[in-house]
Amino acid sequence: MLTEKAVKLAEQEYRKRRPRQGYPWWAQLLLLPLWWCVILLAGFALWNLPMRFLNTGAGWAFLGGAAFGLMVFPPLPMRAIYVFGHEMTHWLAAKMTFHETGKIHLGMTKGYVEVMGSSGFIALAPYVVPFYFLLSGCLMAFAAQVWRPAPATFWLASFGWLGVTYAYHVVLTWIALKNGQKDLEYCGKFLSWCIILAGNLIFLFLTLLIASPKPLASLKSVAKTFQVFWNGL
């Protein structure tokens, strides 16, 4: 008789080897309009967000870092670094949703995490959440608390590095999706692409909102613009 641990290990191996099935075609058709509405709303909010942050030195440093990353990473993707961040994001997403995890297997070009069960959030998290961007932001916040007052050069260099890490997320996500990923089979490819696009737009909007000098005022401005647009329909 198999022990409980043996059953779990067998299920892990099964889930690891079997292809993930997407939602039924009718479920994808029902969910696609919803996610397209989310994409349009997120794009509208991002377009109308006051770009006060980009008019500061930190904003230009971020843009400069992002431009540098967009030029460097396509020919030099450093896939092993991406694989580590990708699988760690899967692992963190599983832990956040209280799924049991096993070993993390890492290679130079691919890897996987053993997860008991899964969800769309776990499967698509690495394509939305920029692991190294968030890690750098946490280290930057910690350094700012230890090093007081931090000089202006520290902030310029930090925001420049954040731009580089965000560009890395964008470039490597595009390369990964272009090469095909089994993660997309969980929700279906078309639905997954919509969720990834919506998630990245929302994440970018929230990042710029938090980084703006007056986040609440910026959010109210976006809400007012949306209300005017809605009343004009």
Side-chain angles (χ1 to χ4, degrees):
M1 187 173 184
L2 291 175
T3 64
E4 184 179 353
K5 184 177 181 180
V7 172
K8 287 184 177 180
L9 290 175
E11 184 178 356
Q12 287 176 355
E13 189 67 18
Y14 171 73
R15 291 183 182 277
K16 181 179 69 178
R17 293 181 181 277
R18 74 179 179 86
R20 291 177 174 175
Q21 300 298 322
Y23 291 163
W25 64 268
W26 55 267
Q28 294 186 40
L29 286 178
L30 290 175
L31 290 172
L32 276 175
L34 172 64
W35 280 103
W36 272 111
C37 288
V38 174
I39 290 171
L40 293 175
L41 289 174
F44 179 87
L46 183 61
W47 181 261
N48 289 277
L49 181 67
M51 297 299 178
R52 298 170 186 169
F53 166 70
L54 298 179
N55 293 327
T56 64
W60 284 108
F62 180 86
L63 285 179
F68 175 78
L70 290 175
M71 290 186 295
V72 170
F73 293 130
L76 187 65
M78 297 183 291
R79 286 184 173 85
I81 298 175
Y82 173 74
V83 169
F84 174 79
H86 184 102
E87 301 307 330
M88 284 303 298
T89 309
H90 277 311
W91 183 84
L92 289 171
K95 290 299 185 183
M96 288 175 61
T97 51
F98 306 104
H99 284 75
E100 185 179 348
T101 58
K103 295 180 180 179
I104 301 177
H105 300 262
L106 300 173
M108 295 300 294
T109 59
K110 61 182 179 180
Y112 63 88
V113 180
E114 296 176 354
V115 179
M116 292 295 292
S118 189
S119 66
F121 174 71
I122 297 174
L124 301 180
Y127 308 99
V128 176
V129 180
F131 177 79
Y132 293 107
F133 177 87
L134 292 180
L135 179 62
S136 299
C138 292
L139 292 175
M140 173 180 161
F142 175 76
Q145 293 297 319
V146 175
W147 191 8
R148 289 187 175 183
T153 53
F154 165 79
W155 292 110
L156 290 176
S158 297
F159 278 102
W161 176 249
L162 286 177
V164 172
T165 58
Y166 194 79
Y168 185 74
H169 165 72
V170 172
V171 172
L172 270 295
T173 297
W174 171 251
I175 292 175
L177 292 174
K178 186 176 64 173
N179 292 336
Q181 294 292 316
K182 288 186 177 181
D183 294 328
L184 273 61
E185 296 176 9
Y186 191 91
C187 298
K189 290 185 179 180
F190 292 111
L191 184 58
S192 294
W193 274 90
C194 290
I195 295 173
I196 292 169
L197 178 57
N200 278 278
L201 288 174
I202 293 172
F203 184 89
L204 184 57
F205 170 77
L206 292 175
T207 300
L208 292 176
L209 182 67
I210 294 171
S212 63
K214 297 180 179 180
L216 186 58
S218 298
L219 184 61
K220 288 181 178 179
S221 177
V222 172
K224 185 177 180 180
T225 304
F226 178 78
Q227 184 178 9
V228 172
F229 173 78
W230 182 261
N231 292 334
L233 292 178

